[in-house]
Amino acid sequence: ALYTPWPIKASACPHRGASNRNTPLSGPLASSQQTRRGQTAMTYIEKHLNAGEEILMTGRFHWLWYARAWAALILFGWLIIGLVYFIYEMIRLVTTEFAVTDRRLIKKTGFIAANVDQMSLEAIEGASMKQGVIGRIFGFGNLDIEGRGEGEVDFPTMAAPAAFLREVNEARQRSERASIDRLADDLEDHQQPR
């Protein structure tokens, strides 16, 4: 077992051997998480989970976005613009996190300042997935989740957007069923003679 100096529920941290159906962590959630002693550091989203909340699936950038940054460095690195673009893009790729938990959607961007968009599963009204021909071939696309009123979470171009959307829909259905079950239990308790 891996030693961590912080208390953490195994099910809330997918890379610690939890039994959930998410894809193996890669991209921003795995690339820079090893500390000097081999311990795994917590991501921003893991640090800000509510009590009892579990990460169901983490999103990740497609490998083409990393390749694009490296191509800019190789082709234009001798120009300052290639180096600047490479550094900017790698920081963006490493510091952007997005996940679906059993209670909400979360997207965190930013290096020094954190910009967090989140939406509860109950507030989701619809979704829009855009995947062009190249995206279909290579398995990437854009995903926008729409909520009640003006709420919306626009996810960056990600790998496997259909799988992420499927997990969002399944989590939303489980959340709705749990709400109905709690209501039924409350009604049963209320109707029993005392």
Side-chain angles (χ1 to χ4, degrees):
L2 191 63
Y3 167 77
T4 58
W6 51 83
I8 184 166
K9 255 179 77 174
S11 59
C13 186
H15 62 279
R16 298 228 336 125
S19 61
N20 42 16
R21 298 170 295 144
N22 55 336
T23 57
L25 290 181
S26 61
L29 295 179
S31 59
S32 62
Q33 302 306 322
Q34 289 296 322
T35 61
R36 284 187 290 176
R37 295 185 184 135
Q39 299 170 350
T40 304
M42 292 176 68
T43 65
Y44 180 91
I45 292 175
E46 290 171 339
K47 288 178 187 175
H48 292 90
L49 290 175
N50 295 321
E53 187 174 18
E54 297 179 14
I55 294 174
L56 301 176
M57 184 173 184
T58 57
R60 58 184 172 81
F61 285 99
H62 194 269
W63 63 268
L64 281 175
W65 267 241
Y66 292 94
R68 186 173 70 173
W70 280 101
L73 180 65
I74 292 167
L75 296 175
F76 303 110
W78 55 277
L79 298 173
I80 294 296
I81 190 119
L83 182 61
V84 169
Y85 178 78
F86 174 77
I87 292 170
Y88 166 78
E89 195 65 13
M90 292 308 283
I91 288 173
R92 184 181 74 88
L93 292 171
V94 169
T95 60
T96 300
E97 302 174 29
F98 39 102
V100 58
T101 72
D102 57 347
R103 298 180 190 170
R104 59 190 166 142
L105 295 172
I106 308 168
K107 179 185 82 169
K108 178 260 181 192
T109 59
F111 176 54
I112 295 173
N115 302 308
V116 179
D117 290 330
Q118 58 184 348
M119 181 182 299
S120 69
L121 296 174
E122 293 83 22
I124 295 173
E125 287 194 352
S128 167
M129 185 176 77
K130 295 176 187 95
Q131 211 174 16
V133 174
I134 301 296
R136 295 278 309 233
I137 292 169
F138 288 104
F140 64 87
N142 289 18
L143 184 61
D144 299 331
I145 306 289
E146 299 162 10
R148 288 188 205 119
E150 297 292 317
E152 184 176 49
V153 179
D154 297 330
F155 290 96
T157 303
M158 68 170 73
F164 193 84
L165 180 59
R166 184 173 42 256
E167 189 63 43
V168 168
N169 288 331
E170 289 175 5
R172 190 171 132 206
Q173 288 173 352
R174 283 190 298 270
S175 176
E176 288 173 357
R177 278 194 302 268
S179 296
I180 291 170
D181 290 345
R182 280 193 303 272
L183 182 59
D185 289 345
D186 288 346
L187 285 172
E188 274 183 27
D189 292 344
H190 207 57
Q191 290 177 350
Q192 290 180 353
R194 294 179 182 191

